[in-house]
Structure formats: structure tokens, C-alpha cells
Amino acid sequence: MSDSKAQPVRISSEPAQLQALEPVLERVRMAVGDVPALLAIAKDIGRTTPKPGEGNTAKLWELLASVTAVDVAAGRVLEPHLDALAILGQAGAGADAGAPADAEGERQGAWGVFAAEGPGMKLEAKSNADGDYVLNGSKPWCSLAAQLDHAVITAHSGDNSRQAFAVDLKAPGVTCETPQWTSRGLQEIPSGTVHFDQVAAQPVGHEDWYFKRPGFSWGGMGVAACWLGGTVAVARDFAAALNKAADNGREPDQIALASLGEIDRLITSATGHLAVAAERIDSGELEGSDPDGPSAWSEALRIRGTVAAAVERVQMLVSQNLGPGPLAFNEAYGKRMADLSLYIRQHHAMRDDAQLGALALKGDRGW
């Protein structure tokens, strides 16, 4: 339905600059469905990829969007690995923070980020007499835990506070459940519960640092860049289907053209929002150090909500226009739609809008 060549997704770079992504995207295309191969690619990419806030945030998001446009699950593999490396860098964590480093100082292994909470589950971190921490308890929604080497994970420490820790997922005392994954979406990336029994952990930042750092908001915007990439791919599927139909003598009607026009508006608007946010992050405007300045978290909520709404609207328009045929008989299209539908549920919809509304009511708004 779409061009077999992996195409980058532009946020702000010039087309010639995006060409540098094409070899990586071709590697991803060849590795679709092969999680060990995708993790190997993620580890390679992590050695040179810019981190958010270091002057090339838009290029990072273009990479995330472009990989997800090739395959949503591939983006779901790459994003947490790069986010974990960024978190460790923001914390100034040394090479002993859960994993050794190689000769060039790069952190080894494949990483995840596990910060979800679940009813009836609690992961606790306690320090011993020597000041070393151990983890006990369970953590839900740990994607690919059995295939990863390390993770940045949040645990309860102190009085109702949550702190981030780096942990070796191959250490004694770590047990990864294999869930019964019934979803059609993200089948190769099941998210199960991980149990910890006296597992050594290295603190990453101080108590409550993980959620209060501006990088938490930047990472949330990076996930939105992945959602955008998946949406662009669905839109490209639609345009390719219309062109193919026209080549066979069936020109698109006004409904199809209106739908494509609306899709263009939605993607252009979301892309522009990400481009501006990347510039603001790199300029220091969204660091959150000024209590009277703009909030990085409110901007993350705006971007995530804007992109999530675009995803759902584009999926609806495309599925209405193309009908059941490609969902039933086109493997790549059906996988993309199912993967993206599940991935976008990381957005908390009206609950996130409620957070944004509370911030806007307090004056954290630009209007």
C-alpha cells in the first residue's frame, strides 16, 4: 500500500539532512518483527543520537518519528532505550549506575524505563547500613523486561516519595512474568510484571527528581514524536492508496480529497508544534528553572494531547475511506493501525486535559 522504501519524517531539518537517516531506517525495515535485531539497532543508535536539551532535540524527534513511521513497534523499542540514556545523562550518573561503560564511555546493553504503577503492587527501595539500596516488590507494565539488560525504574523510598534507580535486569532476585498478550497491537512487545527480591539498585538523582526534572516533560514529548511518526505512516498509506486507485482509473472523490486535506492540516499543525517546542527546549526556555516562566509539563500536555487527537482523527478518516479491505488483507497496514491504536493509549485523554486546564487556570498559558 505504501512505498517499500523507508522514508524519514521531517520536523524541522532540511530534506538533505534527513537523507542521513535512510540507512538506519532501512536497517529497521529489514528488522521489523525481530526484537533482538531491533534492540541491537537501538544500542547502535544510542551511541551517537543527540539527547534532548543539548541543541539537537528536533533531530532526536525526527529519528524517533522516522523509525516509528517504518514500524510502530520499532519506535516502541527505540524510544525507552534513548530515554533511559538521556535520564542517566541528566542525573550525571556515573558508569556504575547499573551498567558498565565501554572504552568510549558509552553505556552498554539495552535499556528500558519502568515508571508505571498498578493497583495492589508496590516496589520499595530501602537502604542498608552502608547506604546501598535494594528493591523489593513488583512493577507492572515493564515492556520487554525479559529481553532487556538494564532499566531506569521508579520505586517508593522515604515518606510517599518516588525515586529513580538503575537496575540490572539479569541480577539474581529479578523475575520477569511473561504475560498473556491478547492484543493484536504491539504483539512483539508484551508488557508484564517484574518482581524484585533484594535486588541491588543504584540511585539516579535524588528523591522526587525523576518527575520534577524538565527532562521528564521532554521525554513525554519524545513519545508524542513517535505517535506522530506512526500517524504520518498511516497518512502515507492513504495517499498511496488514492494514487493507486487513480492509476487504475478511479479518481478520488470529494470525500476522499477532503479527508486527505484535513489529514494534511492535522499533521502539519502537530509537526509545527513539535518543531517550536524543540527550539524552546534547546534555547533553555522550557527548563522549568523560572517559577514564573513557562512550564515544560504544560507544554508536554499540549503537545501530547494535540498529537494524540491527530492520531485518532487520522486513523478514523483513513479507515472510513479505505474500508475493511486493507484491515483484513494488508498485513503491514493492519499491523500499523493495531500497533498505533494501542500505543496511543499511553495518553490519558481527558485526565491529561484536566491537568492542563488546572495549570491554565493558574496562569500557565500563552493566551
Short mmCIF file of all heavy atoms in Angstrom, two decimals, residues 113-149:
data_model
loop_
_atom_site.label_atom_id
_atom_site.label_comp_id
_atom_site.label_asym_id
_atom_site.label_seq_id
_atom_site.Cartn_x
_atom_site.Cartn_y
_atom_site.Cartn_z
N VAL A 113 12.67 1.90 30.52
CA VAL A 113 12.26 2.84 31.57
C VAL A 113 10.92 2.35 32.10
O VAL A 113 9.95 2.25 31.35
CB VAL A 113 12.11 4.28 31.03
CG1 VAL A 113 11.66 5.21 32.16
CG2 VAL A 113 13.43 4.77 30.44
N PHE A 114 10.87 2.03 33.39
CA PHE A 114 9.67 1.48 34.02
C PHE A 114 9.23 2.41 35.14
O PHE A 114 9.84 2.44 36.21
CB PHE A 114 9.94 0.08 34.58
CG PHE A 114 10.49 -0.90 33.57
CD1 PHE A 114 11.38 -1.89 33.97
CD2 PHE A 114 10.12 -0.84 32.23
CE1 PHE A 114 11.88 -2.80 33.05
CE2 PHE A 114 10.62 -1.73 31.31
CZ PHE A 114 11.51 -2.72 31.72
N ALA A 115 8.16 3.15 34.90
CA ALA A 115 7.69 4.11 35.90
C ALA A 115 6.21 3.95 36.22
O ALA A 115 5.67 4.73 37.00
CB ALA A 115 7.97 5.54 35.43
N ALA A 116 5.53 2.98 35.61
CA ALA A 116 4.10 2.81 35.83
C ALA A 116 3.82 2.25 37.22
O ALA A 116 4.66 1.58 37.82
CB ALA A 116 3.51 1.89 34.77
N GLU A 117 2.63 2.53 37.71
CA GLU A 117 2.15 1.98 38.97
C GLU A 117 0.91 1.14 38.69
O GLU A 117 0.23 1.34 37.67
CB GLU A 117 1.80 3.11 39.95
CG GLU A 117 2.98 3.99 40.33
CD GLU A 117 3.91 3.33 41.34
OE1 GLU A 117 3.43 2.85 42.38
OE2 GLU A 117 5.12 3.30 41.07
N GLY A 118 0.61 0.22 39.57
CA GLY A 118 -0.57 -0.62 39.39
C GLY A 118 -1.24 -0.90 40.72
O GLY A 118 -0.58 -0.95 41.77
N PRO A 119 -2.55 -1.08 40.72
CA PRO A 119 -3.27 -1.36 41.98
C PRO A 119 -2.79 -2.67 42.60
O PRO A 119 -2.59 -3.68 41.91
CB PRO A 119 -4.74 -1.47 41.54
CG PRO A 119 -4.68 -1.77 40.06
CD PRO A 119 -3.45 -1.09 39.56
N GLY A 120 -2.56 -2.62 43.89
CA GLY A 120 -2.13 -3.81 44.61
C GLY A 120 -0.67 -4.15 44.45
O GLY A 120 -0.21 -5.19 44.93
N MET A 121 0.09 -3.28 43.76
CA MET A 121 1.52 -3.52 43.56
C MET A 121 2.31 -2.32 44.08
O MET A 121 1.90 -1.18 43.94
CB MET A 121 1.84 -3.70 42.07
CG MET A 121 1.22 -4.90 41.43
SD MET A 121 1.79 -5.10 39.73
CE MET A 121 0.65 -6.37 39.16
N LYS A 122 3.44 -2.65 44.65
CA LYS A 122 4.31 -1.58 45.13
C LYS A 122 5.75 -2.06 45.09
O LYS A 122 6.06 -3.18 45.53
CB LYS A 122 3.93 -1.17 46.56
CG LYS A 122 4.67 0.07 47.06
CD LYS A 122 4.15 0.49 48.44
CE LYS A 122 4.80 1.78 48.90
NZ LYS A 122 4.29 2.21 50.23
N LEU A 123 6.61 -1.24 44.55
CA LEU A 123 8.04 -1.52 44.56
C LEU A 123 8.69 -0.56 45.53
O LEU A 123 8.54 0.66 45.41
CB LEU A 123 8.62 -1.34 43.15
CG LEU A 123 10.11 -1.63 43.00
CD1 LEU A 123 10.40 -3.10 43.31
CD2 LEU A 123 10.60 -1.27 41.61
N GLU A 124 9.42 -1.12 46.50
CA GLU A 124 10.03 -0.30 47.54
C GLU A 124 11.55 -0.37 47.45
O GLU A 124 12.13 -1.43 47.13
CB GLU A 124 9.58 -0.76 48.92
CG GLU A 124 8.11 -0.52 49.19
CD GLU A 124 7.71 -0.90 50.61
OE1 GLU A 124 7.97 -2.05 51.00
OE2 GLU A 124 7.15 -0.04 51.31
N ALA A 125 12.18 0.77 47.72
CA ALA A 125 13.64 0.85 47.77
C ALA A 125 14.05 1.23 49.19
O ALA A 125 13.57 2.23 49.73
CB ALA A 125 14.14 1.89 46.77
N LYS A 126 14.92 0.42 49.76
CA LYS A 126 15.40 0.71 51.10
C LYS A 126 16.91 0.61 51.12
O LYS A 126 17.51 -0.23 50.44
CB LYS A 126 14.80 -0.26 52.11
CG LYS A 126 13.29 -0.10 52.28
CD LYS A 126 12.75 -0.99 53.39
CE LYS A 126 11.26 -0.77 53.57
NZ LYS A 126 10.70 -1.63 54.65
N SER A 127 17.52 1.50 51.90
CA SER A 127 18.98 1.50 52.01
C SER A 127 19.40 0.74 53.26
O SER A 127 18.70 0.73 54.27
CB SER A 127 19.51 2.93 52.06
OG SER A 127 18.96 3.63 53.16
N ASN A 128 20.55 0.09 53.16
CA ASN A 128 21.08 -0.64 54.30
C ASN A 128 22.05 0.24 55.08
O ASN A 128 22.17 1.44 54.81
CB ASN A 128 21.75 -1.95 53.85
CG ASN A 128 22.86 -1.69 52.85
OD1 ASN A 128 23.46 -0.61 52.82
ND2 ASN A 128 23.16 -2.69 52.02
N ALA A 129 22.73 -0.34 56.01
CA ALA A 129 23.63 0.43 56.87
C ALA A 129 24.77 1.08 56.08
O ALA A 129 25.31 2.11 56.49
CB ALA A 129 24.19 -0.47 57.96
N ASP A 130 25.13 0.48 54.96
CA ASP A 130 26.21 1.03 54.14
C ASP A 130 25.71 2.08 53.14
O ASP A 130 26.51 2.63 52.37
CB ASP A 130 26.91 -0.09 53.37
CG ASP A 130 27.57 -1.10 54.30
OD1 ASP A 130 28.06 -0.66 55.35
OD2 ASP A 130 27.59 -2.30 53.97
N GLY A 131 24.41 2.34 53.15
CA GLY A 131 23.86 3.31 52.22
C GLY A 131 23.53 2.74 50.85
O GLY A 131 23.15 3.49 49.94
N ASP A 132 23.67 1.42 50.68
CA ASP A 132 23.33 0.79 49.41
C ASP A 132 21.84 0.46 49.38
O ASP A 132 21.25 0.09 50.40
CB ASP A 132 24.12 -0.51 49.22
CG ASP A 132 25.62 -0.25 49.18
OD1 ASP A 132 26.02 0.78 48.61
OD2 ASP A 132 26.38 -1.09 49.71
N TYR A 133 21.23 0.58 48.19
CA TYR A 133 19.80 0.36 48.06
C TYR A 133 19.50 -1.03 47.51
O TYR A 133 20.24 -1.57 46.68
CB TYR A 133 19.18 1.40 47.12
CG TYR A 133 18.95 2.75 47.76
CD1 TYR A 133 19.95 3.71 47.78
CD2 TYR A 133 17.71 3.06 48.34
CE1 TYR A 133 19.73 4.96 48.36
CE2 TYR A 133 17.49 4.29 48.93
CZ TYR A 133 18.50 5.24 48.93
OH TYR A 133 18.28 6.46 49.51
N VAL A 134 18.38 -1.58 47.97
CA VAL A 134 17.85 -2.82 47.40
C VAL A 134 16.37 -2.62 47.11
O VAL A 134 15.68 -1.86 47.81
CB VAL A 134 18.05 -4.04 48.33
CG1 VAL A 134 19.52 -4.38 48.47
CG2 VAL A 134 17.40 -3.79 49.68
N LEU A 135 15.89 -3.31 46.08
CA LEU A 135 14.49 -3.21 45.66
C LEU A 135 13.75 -4.48 46.05
O LEU A 135 14.25 -5.59 45.87
CB LEU A 135 14.40 -3.02 44.15
CG LEU A 135 15.09 -1.81 43.53
CD1 LEU A 135 14.86 -1.78 42.02
CD2 LEU A 135 14.58 -0.51 44.17
N ASN A 136 12.53 -4.28 46.54
CA ASN A 136 11.63 -5.39 46.86
C ASN A 136 10.22 -5.02 46.42
O ASN A 136 9.76 -3.89 46.67
CB ASN A 136 11.64 -5.70 48.36
CG ASN A 136 12.90 -6.41 48.80
OD1 ASN A 136 13.08 -7.60 48.54
ND2 ASN A 136 13.80 -5.68 49.45
N GLY A 137 9.54 -5.97 45.79
CA GLY A 137 8.18 -5.72 45.35
C GLY A 137 8.01 -5.98 43.88
O GLY A 137 8.82 -6.67 43.25
N SER A 138 6.94 -5.43 43.31
CA SER A 138 6.59 -5.71 41.92
C SER A 138 6.32 -4.42 41.16
O SER A 138 5.85 -3.43 41.72
CB SER A 138 5.36 -6.61 41.86
OG SER A 138 5.59 -7.83 42.53
N LYS A 139 6.61 -4.47 39.86
CA LYS A 139 6.41 -3.33 38.97
C LYS A 139 5.64 -3.78 37.73
O LYS A 139 6.08 -4.70 37.03
CB LYS A 139 7.78 -2.77 38.55
CG LYS A 139 7.72 -1.37 37.95
CD LYS A 139 7.41 -0.33 39.01
CE LYS A 139 7.63 1.07 38.46
NZ LYS A 139 7.20 2.10 39.43
N PRO A 140 4.48 -3.16 37.45
CA PRO A 140 3.71 -3.58 36.28
C PRO A 140 4.14 -2.86 35.01
O PRO A 140 4.92 -1.91 35.06
CB PRO A 140 2.28 -3.17 36.66
CG PRO A 140 2.49 -1.91 37.46
CD PRO A 140 3.78 -2.12 38.24
N TRP A 141 3.65 -3.33 33.88
CA TRP A 141 3.85 -2.66 32.58
C TRP A 141 5.32 -2.47 32.25
O TRP A 141 5.76 -1.39 31.86
CB TRP A 141 3.11 -1.32 32.53
CG TRP A 141 1.62 -1.47 32.56
CD1 TRP A 141 0.80 -1.25 33.62
CD2 TRP A 141 0.78 -1.88 31.46
NE1 TRP A 141 -0.51 -1.51 33.27
CE2 TRP A 141 -0.55 -1.90 31.94
CE3 TRP A 141 1.03 -2.23 30.13
CZ2 TRP A 141 -1.62 -2.26 31.13
CZ3 TRP A 141 -0.05 -2.60 29.33
CH2 TRP A 141 -1.35 -2.60 29.83
N CYS A 142 6.09 -3.52 32.40
CA CYS A 142 7.53 -3.47 32.10
C CYS A 142 7.76 -4.10 30.72
O CYS A 142 7.93 -5.31 30.59
CB CYS A 142 8.33 -4.20 33.17
SG CYS A 142 8.18 -3.47 34.81
N SER A 143 7.75 -3.26 29.70
CA SER A 143 7.84 -3.75 28.33
C SER A 143 9.20 -4.36 28.05
O SER A 143 10.24 -3.76 28.34
CB SER A 143 7.58 -2.60 27.35
OG SER A 143 6.30 -2.05 27.55
N LEU A 144 9.18 -5.57 27.48
CA LEU A 144 10.39 -6.28 27.03
C LEU A 144 11.38 -6.56 28.16
O LEU A 144 12.57 -6.77 27.91
CB LEU A 144 11.10 -5.49 25.93
CG LEU A 144 10.38 -5.36 24.59
CD1 LEU A 144 11.21 -4.50 23.64
CD2 LEU A 144 10.10 -6.72 23.98
N ALA A 145 10.91 -6.59 29.39
CA ALA A 145 11.83 -6.72 30.52
C ALA A 145 12.73 -7.95 30.40
O ALA A 145 13.92 -7.90 30.73
CB ALA A 145 11.06 -6.77 31.84
N ALA A 146 12.18 -9.06 29.93
CA ALA A 146 12.97 -10.29 29.85
C ALA A 146 14.06 -10.21 28.78
O ALA A 146 15.01 -11.00 28.82
CB ALA A 146 12.05 -11.47 29.54
N GLN A 147 13.94 -9.27 27.85
CA GLN A 147 14.92 -9.16 26.77
C GLN A 147 15.88 -7.98 26.95
O GLN A 147 16.81 -7.82 26.16
CB GLN A 147 14.20 -9.03 25.42
CG GLN A 147 13.34 -10.25 25.09
CD GLN A 147 12.79 -10.20 23.69
OE1 GLN A 147 13.54 -10.16 22.71
NE2 GLN A 147 11.48 -10.19 23.57
N LEU A 148 15.64 -7.16 27.97
CA LEU A 148 16.50 -6.02 28.23
C LEU A 148 17.61 -6.39 29.21
O LEU A 148 17.50 -7.37 29.95
CB LEU A 148 15.69 -4.85 28.79
CG LEU A 148 14.58 -4.29 27.88
CD1 LEU A 148 13.80 -3.21 28.63
CD2 LEU A 148 15.16 -3.72 26.60
N ASP A 149 18.64 -5.56 29.23
CA ASP A 149 19.75 -5.77 30.15
C ASP A 149 19.58 -4.96 31.43
O ASP A 149 19.89 -5.43 32.53
CB ASP A 149 21.07 -5.38 29.48
CG ASP A 149 21.34 -6.20 28.24
OD1 ASP A 149 21.49 -7.43 28.37
OD2 ASP A 149 21.38 -5.62 27.13
#
